[in-house]
Amino acid sequence: MKNKLHTTLAALLFVLAGSAIADESLPGGGVIKGKIIDSRSREPLFGVNVFIEHTTAGAATDMNGEYEISNAPAGEIRLVSSMMGYKRVQRTVFMSLNETLRVDFELESTILEMGAVVVTGTSTPHLIADMPVRTEVIPRRLIERKQASNLAEALSFHTGIQVENNCQNCNFTQVRILGLDGKYSQILIDGDPVVSSLASVYGLEHFPEEMVDQIEIVKGGGSSLYGGGAIAGVINMITRRPVTNQVRIKYRNNLIEGKPDRHLGAVAETVFGNGNSGAYIFGSFRDRAPYDHNNDGFSQLGEIRNETMGFKWYYQPFKNTELLTSFHRIHEERRGGNKFDLPPHEADIAEWIEHWRSGGTVRWSHHPSTAFDYRLYHSFSIINRKSYFGGLGGDTDQDRLDALAFYGKTDNPLHITGFQSNLRLGNHLLTGGFQHSVDRLKDETAAETAYYLDERIINTGLFIQDNVHFGSDDQIELVAGIRADRHSEINNWILSPRINGKFALGKGITMRAAYTTGFKPPQTYDEDLHICGVEGDQRIIRNSPDLKEERSYTVTGGVEYLGYLQEIPAMLSFTAFYTRLSDSFTERFVSKQDVTELWERVNSGGASVKGIELDLGIRPFIAFEARAGMTLQESLFDDFQEDFETCHFLKTPDLTGNIRLFYSAGEKIDLYLHGQYLGKAKIPHEIPVEGQEDPLLLLKESDVFLQADVGMTIQLPLNQGINTKIHIGLKNLFNAYQKDLDFGRDRDPGYVYGPTLPRTVHLGIETAF
C-alpha cells in the first residue's frame, strides 16, 4: 500500500510539474477546423488523421469529413493531413492567440500503407513515413482483403513474419519475428502488454478480426518502452475506435476438403451528438470441424468453437479530456486427437483446452495545455482454463482411472496500472512514465500434486524517452530512451536502453538506424507446457533457482524510398539487422514418474540472428497495386545442440518471401492474389522405438513451399444505404502442405511444418448499413 501511495503521488507531481512547465513554454492555443475530401470523387473522407507536426495534438474527421483541433499552439505550425492509402498533405499556417482558423484539404489516392499514423515505435503518434523507429503496419483494408478470421491469419503474408502451427493436436500457433520463437515477441492490445505467457499460447487465434482495426509491428528489442518479453519485436493490435454510425454483419465459411470452418461476426458503431462520445460493439462466433489429412483417424487440425463479444466506448466530459473504456469476453473450446464423440479421457490421444478470457482497460487522457498531455490507465486480463493432455493407455479399469489424471485447471489474472506523459520543450518531445503489473498463475493437474504451481510475478517499470528533431527542415530525428524494471524473480534492476535515428535525405529517401535492447524474465508457463511426448507423456517445467533473465540487443540499419516515380506511387525499403541473444533459456531433464516428466529451465549459451529484408511496392495505375518482400537470414546457436546435432535454429527457414497483388475491375469487383514462399528449414522429429523408453531423434530438412491465395470480392447493387459484398476464393491454391505426416497414436505431435492449411475453398457474404 505504501509503495502504491508513493507511485500515485509521483504521478500527480509529474502532472503538475509538466503542466506548469508547458504553460510557461507556450502561449495558449486556438482552434483549427476544416473539411477533407477525396480529390477525384469530391466525396468527404471520414477517419482522416489531422495533426500538428512534432506534437500529440490532432483529431480525426467525422462522417462529413469535418475535423476540429482545439488548444492549437500560437505561432507558425505545420498541419499534416493523412489517411491510409492517401498521399499526405502538409500545410504551414500561422496561428494567432485564441484564433479560429479554417484549413481544408483534398487527398489523393496512393499506395495502401502510405498515410498511416502509428504509435507503437515511440508511444506517440507519428506519420509512418516520419516515424524515427521503423514501424510496419497491417491496415484494416488489408486484413479484409486477406479474409482473415483472427489475429493469426491477419499477420500472414508479411515480410519477416512467419505464422506457424506447432502441434497437430491442439494447433497452438506462434509468430516468428526475424526467425526467433514466438515466446520472444510481445503482443500488445492498444499498447498495453496484457497478453500473458499463458494467453500467448493460443491467443493469436483467440482474438477475432472484429476486434482488430490495425496491426503495428516493430522489429527488434522493445523493452525500453514495453518491458520484458520484447526481444524479437512487438506486435500491437489496435482495436477499432468508433468513427461513424454503421452496422456490419459478416458470414464466411472455409471448406477444408469438405470440413467446414464457419465464422459469423457482427459489429455496430455509433458516434453521439457532436462527437464527444461514441461506442463500438462487436461479437463473433467460430465453429471448425476436426480435419484428418492423412486418414489415420487422428486430426491435423483440431475442433474449435469460439464465442467472443466486447465493446469500446469513449466520452469527452470536458474540453481536451477523454475517458475510454473497453472490454472483451472470449470463450473458446478446442480439441485435437481422435474419438471426438467421446470424452477426452476415453480417446487414445486428446488435447482439450477450454478458455474463458475477460479483458479490458479504463483510460483517462488529458491535454491541459498545448505542450503537455498525460494519461492514466488500468488494464486487465483474467483467464480461467480447463485442460486435458493425455489419453487412454489400455482397456483395463486401471487404465481408465489413470487416464483421468491428465485433467488440469489454470487461473491467470493479470493487472497492469500505468501512467504516461508527454511534454514538448522546443524541438524536444519528452515522454516518461511508469508501469506496474501483477501476474498470478495457479496451475493444477490431477496427475501429481507435487507439480502444482502457484506464482505471483510483480514487475515495476520506469521509463523516459527524448524525441528530438533538428536541421534546416527537421530532417534529422533521434529517439533515445531507457527503461528500468524491477522484477520479483530478479534480484537487481534490469536496464533496457535504446537509440533510434532517422535522416531524411530528401525526395522521399530516408535512412534509419537503431540500437535496441530487450529482455525476457524467468517464467514458468509457455508453449512448452503441454503434451510433448510421442506417447502422451506430460511435461512439467520449473525454473532453476538461479535462473537469470535472457538479454538481447539488436542493431538495424536501412534506407527507404517512399514517393512517386513519374507520378506513380512507389516504395522501396532495404534493412539489415543483427540480434544477439545471451543467457538463452533451455530445458534440462530432471526425472520421470510414470508418464509425467519433470524438466528444469536453465540458462545456456547465446545465439545470433543476422540478415536482410527487402520490401517494394508500386501502384502503376489507380486500379492496381503490387507489393512484394523477402527476408534472407542466418540463425545460429553458439553451442552445438546435442539432441539434434546442429547449431541452426529449428523450424526457421533462411529464406522467406511474399507477394500481394490487388486489382479493382471496375466499381463492383475486386481481385486479389497473396503468395508466400517458405524456404528449407531444419525440422526435429521424435520417433518412438518399440521396447525403448527414449524416442529416436532425427533432424530432417523440410521441402520448399509456395503458397498462393486467390479471391474475388463482388459488390451487389442493393437498396440505397445497404452495401453487400460476396467473397469467393481459394486458400493455398497449389495445396502446398506437409507430405510426410506421422501416423497413428504414437505420432510426434510436434512434427508439423509448412503452411497451416491445405487447399481451402472460401465463401463469404458481408452486409453493412
Side-chain angles (χ1 to χ4, degrees), residues 241 275-278 312-325 362-367 374-376:
R241 179 186 175 91
N276 66 341
S277 181
K312 191 174 191 177
W313 172 79
Y314 75 88
Y315 175 57
Q316 298 167 348
F318 313 108
K319 191 175 182 179
N320 301 318
T321 65
E322 180 176 278
L323 175 66
L324 183 144
T325 64
V362 178
R363 179 174 300 170
W364 170 259
S365 303
H366 184 201
H367 289 249
Y374 70 92
R375 67 173 183 260
L376 294 160

Side-chain angles (χ1 to χ4, degrees), residues 681-729:
K682 307 291 185 183
I683 310 297
H685 192 189
E686 300 183 8
I687 302 174
V689 178
E690 187 174 355
Q692 181 177 314
E693 183 174 341
D694 295 329
L696 175 66
L697 303 180
L698 298 178
L699 189 66
K700 296 188 175 182
E701 187 173 71
S702 71
D703 296 327
V704 169
F705 294 97
L706 181 60
Q707 178 184 352
D709 292 3
V710 296
M712 174 173 60
T713 298
I714 305 171
Q715 186 168 327
L716 300 180
L718 297 182
N719 294 333
Q720 186 175 5
I722 300 179
N723 298 313
T724 299
K725 298 178 181 179
I726 292 179
H727 307 284
I728 305 171

Side-chain angles (χ1 to χ4, degrees), residues 6 31 37 311 341 417 498 617 720 756 758:
H6 287 168
V31 175
I37 63 173
F311 71 88
D341 56 329
T417 301
R498 76 157 176 182
Q720 186 175 5
T756 57

Side-chain angles (χ1 to χ4, degrees), residues 178-193:
L178 303 181
L180 291 168
D181 281 348
K183 60 186 177 183
Y184 293 116
S185 302
Q186 191 171 59
I187 300 174
L188 312 174
I189 301 179
D190 291 325
D192 298 335

Side-chain angles (χ1 to χ4, degrees), residues 401-528:
L401 286 174
D402 292 341
L404 294 172
F406 297 112
Y407 282 100
K409 181 178 183 294
T410 310
D411 297 313
N412 181 208
L414 168 63
H415 292 270
I416 298 175
T417 301
F419 165 82
Q420 179 180 315
S421 66
N422 303 295
L423 175 64
R424 185 162 68 93
L425 292 174
N427 61 341
H428 295 262
L429 180 60
L430 302 175
T431 299
F434 69 85
Q435 191 175 80
H436 179 77
S437 65
V438 180
D439 185 358
R440 185 179 180 186
L441 182 66
K442 186 177 181 180
D443 183 64
E444 298 176 350
T445 175
E448 178 54 65
T449 58
Y451 299 145
Y452 282 10
L453 178 67
D454 190 354
E455 288 187 342
R456 187 168 180 260
I457 304 297
I458 300 175
N459 188 85
T460 300
L462 306 171
F463 60 91
I464 189 168
Q465 170 185 280
D466 183 15
N467 185 175
V468 58
H469 54 90
F470 50 91
S472 59
D473 196 30
D474 292 336
Q475 66 266 37
I476 300 175
E477 191 165 357
L478 297 176
V479 176
I482 189 169
R483 173 165 167 150
D485 282 272
R486 183 72 178 192
H487 194 276
S488 57
E489 298 297 301
I490 303 295
N491 293 327
N492 302 316
W493 283 85
I494 304 170
L495 299 180
S496 303
R498 76 157 176 182
I499 184 167
N500 301 75
K502 184 199 75 169
F503 182 32
L505 300 176
K507 297 184 178 180
I509 301 175
T510 302
M511 295 181 64
R512 290 184 178 89
Y515 171 84
T516 59
T517 58
F519 77 93
K520 183 175 179 61
Q523 65 183 44
T524 301
Y525 215 109
D526 64 20
E527 67 273 14
D528 297 320

